[in-house]
Structures are given as C-alpha cells and as structure tokens.
Amino acid sequence: MKNLTALVTGASRGIGKGIVLTLAKQGYNIIAIARNPNGLRLLKEEIEKNYPVQCLAFSLDIGDLKDQEVWFSNHFPALPEIDLLVNNAGIAPDKRSDILECSIESYDKVLNTNLKGVFFFTQKIAQRMVASIQKDIKKDYKPRIIFITSISAITASPNRAEYCISKAGLSMTSQLYAVRLAEYNIPVFEIRPGIIMTDMTEPVRSKYDALIQQGLLLQKRWGTPEDVANCVKSIAEGNFDYATGSVFEISGGFSILRL
Ligand SMILES: NC(=O)c1ccc[n+]([C@@H]2O[C@H](COP(=O)([O-])OP(=O)(O)OC[C@H]3O[C@@H](n4cnc5c(N)ncnc54)[C@H](OP(=O)(O)O)[C@@H]3O)[C@@H](O)[C@H]2O)c1
C-alpha cells in the first residue's frame, strides 16, 4: 500500500467524489472535506469497503474562515503529511441573475467559498508542506497542489458574474502559488472543467443538452467527474512535475475559437 495521502475538498459529491474514488483506487489514503456530514459518512463507507485505504472525513465550510480556524487548530496537526491537495469545493450562485441585478449577498457567498476560503485554506496547507520539506519530515516527500477552476475563468456569463469572477481569481491564485512554491519544488496546477454532469449542473441540464447538440463542444457529450479525475490521477503520478503552473482544460474542446 502507498504511504500517500490526498486531501480533497468538496469530496462528497460530483467531481470531488470522482477524484477521491480514483485516488483511493490508486492507493491514496483520503482526507475528505465537505459540509454535509451524511454525504461524508456515505463516502467514507464506500471507500473503506472497496479499497484498502483509510478515509478521514471532516465536515468543514471552506467559505467560513472561523470554521477553518477551528479545523486547523483542532484537527490539522494530527493529520499525516499531505502529498496531494485538490482544491475542488465550490458553489454556483443559488440563483442565476443578471450582472445588473447581482446581489451583495450572492457575490459575497460565492466569492467567500470559491476564492477567499480556498486562498487561505491553501495558504495553511502550503505552509505545512514547506515546513515539512525543510525539516525533512517524510522520506521522499513530494507534495503537489491542484486547483479546480472552470472554463468560467475565461468565459463571460453575465448571468452569473460572481461565479466567473471567483474562478478567474482562483486561476490567478493557482499561478501565484506556482510561482511562490517553485523554490520548494512543489508543482501547482489548474484544472478547468467544462460542462460536467453533477448536481451543480442539474438545474441547467436541458439548456446544456441543447447547446451540446448544437455544437458548443467539439466532443458532443457531457463531461463526467471521471474525465476530471483522470487528469488529477495523471498529475498525482508525477507526469507533469516539470510543468508547474500548467492549465488543463477538460472540456471537450470548448474554448477553441472557430470560424
Ligand atoms: N459541474 C460542472 O460543470 C463544473 C464545471 C466547471 C467547474 N466546476 C467546479 O468543480 C467543482 C466541483 O463541482 P461539482 O459540479 O462537483 O459540484 P457539486 O456536485 O455541487 O458538488 C460540490 C461539492 O463541494 C462541497 N461543497 C460545496 N460547498 C462547500 C463548502 N463551502 N465547503 C466545503 N465543501 C463544500 C459539496 O458538499 P456539501 O454540500 O456537503 O458541502 C460537494 O461535495 C466546483 O469548484 C465547481 O465550481 C464544475
């Protein structure tokens, strides 16, 4: 069994669950984070029933810095070294509304969860990764960090401006950590999913069904959590260690300009 641990946020459903199951299959021990304890309990049961790995699950709201503070002081010190951090937790606005009507509440909620919370969460984990490397705490320790952003980082949807802004900011966050952590040989990557079939896209399923059929994507199908998880797996295997700061778009060819 590998002595490797992956921490994945937003692990209980959708893309995060796909990532966690793929990594568990690869022999990673899992630290799973989400808000709903029931989803986490089911995930832990599924992992430990099917794979010979350990799954520690924590209920934590990434968008709540006070909640994070409590988690970092109560739980983090006892956890094993983190070999792979996957910042996946994220939310869409509760309701899509035009940029001219976007409320302060929705803006704050989405930005706190998708950007501010992830920025500070990563900061604490990165500090420990650096300290562990400097103190040579774990043999052959080679941590990596992944940010799950979105094609919305580079695609303007004025009916969910706060989401697009959060993902554009997260894309820069990935670049910034790539620059800062390079001297410690910690590679940082951004994965930009396209249109992926999960709970998040359930409310817009028929709209995207039609757009996909009309040729929005080069590959005429919805993406799956496994499509994203396969990219994470390849990064985790070290295949892109000389490509820190790279952006992987998993979108069926969404962003190729065509005429
Ligand atoms: N689906 C897509 O088409 C698509 C496309 C591009 C990018 N993305 C991005 O991919 C990531 C995953 O999306 P998804 O489609 O898998 O979403 P999803 O099906 O709604 O699942 C979101 C996951 O994140 C957790 N979560 C949400 N808010 C959280 C918070 N504040 N703190 C901790 N955990 C939280 C959820 O569990 P709890 O509810 O229990 O907290 C759940 O496990 C997001 O960052 C999203 O923006 C998705």
Side-chain angles (χ1 to χ4, degrees):
M1 206 170 88
K2 287 188 173 118
N3 180 22
L4 293 173
T5 299
L7 189 160
V8 181
T9 67
S12 59
R13 294 182 279 121
I15 294 172
K17 184 172 178 185
I19 291 170
V20 155
L21 294 178
T22 298
L23 292 173
K25 196 172 176 183
Q26 295 305 109
Y28 276 81
N29 294 309
I30 302 294
I31 300 171
I33 286 177
R35 290 164 303 180
N36 182 342
N38 203 33
L40 286 167
R41 184 180 56 75
L42 294 172
L43 177 79
K44 182 175 165 63
E45 281 171 15
E46 183 174 346
I47 289 176
E48 294 188 342
K49 187 170 138 218
N50 292 302
Y51 305 104
V53 300
Q54 198 189 20
C55 176
L56 298 171
F58 296 96
S59 176
L60 164 65
D61 182 346
I62 289 290
D64 181 338
L65 294 184
K66 290 227 164 11
D67 210 11
Q68 278 199 30
E69 202 181 314
V70 171
W71 186 81
F72 275 110
S73 56
N74 289 356
H75 299 289
F76 191 50
L79 293 178
E81 301 311 312
I82 290 158
D83 299 280
L84 179 68
L85 166 63
V86 185
N87 286 305
N88 166 76
I91 53 168
D94 291 336
K95 184 167 75 73
R96 291 187 177 200
S97 59
D98 186 84
I99 188 169
L100 297 177
E101 309 294 333
C102 173
S103 69
I104 295 169
E105 290 73 23
S106 180
Y107 185 95
D108 283 346
K109 183 175 173 185
V110 172
L111 268 288
N112 282 342
T113 305
N114 293 4
L115 184 56
K116 188 175 177 182
V118 186
F119 177 90
F120 287 106
F121 188 77
T122 306
Q123 185 186 65
K124 288 276 190 311
I125 307 269
Q127 284 170 359
R128 176 158 160 192
M129 285 174 171
V130 168
S132 300
I133 288 169
Q134 287 174 330
K135 293 182 200 145
D136 205 10
I137 289 220
K138 182 177 174 183
K139 192 170 172 291
D140 298 328
Y141 185 46
K142 179 81 188 75
R144 301 176 179 90
I145 297 176
I146 298 173
F147 291 87
I148 306 292
T149 65
S150 168
I151 51 171
S152 295
I154 50 157
T155 308
S157 302
N159 64 346
R160 49 192 173 117
E162 63 277 56
Y163 184 77
C164 298
I165 292 165
S166 73
K167 293 299 186 178
L170 197 61
S171 178
M172 176 50 78
T173 304
S174 176
Q175 300 288 301
L176 289 162
Y177 277 113
V179 171
R180 184 63 184 88
L181 298 177
E183 71 179 271
Y184 305 104
N185 207 12
I186 302 174
V188 179
F189 305 95
E190 174 185 351
I191 298 179
R192 272 181 202 158
I195 300 173
I196 312 294
M197 194 166 292
T198 66
D199 293 348
M200 185 180 276
T201 44
E202 173 65 35
V204 284
R205 195 140 300 170
S206 53
K207 175 186 166 175
Y208 285 145
D209 275 342
L211 288 172
I212 291 169
Q213 278 322 306
Q214 288 158 19
L216 179 71
L217 311 178
L218 296 183
Q219 292 165 288
K220 279 195 175 186
R221 69 164 175 87
W222 282 76
T224 64
E226 291 68 36
D227 289 320
V228 181
N230 284 336
C231 184
V232 170
K233 176 182 158 215
S234 200
I235 290 171
E237 283 169 347
N239 294 326
F240 299 102
D241 281 354
Y242 190 58
T244 191
S246 289
V247 179
F248 296 83
E249 189 178 301
I250 309 296
S251 72
F254 168 81
S255 64
I256 296 181
L257 294 175
R258 283 168 281 167
L259 188 59

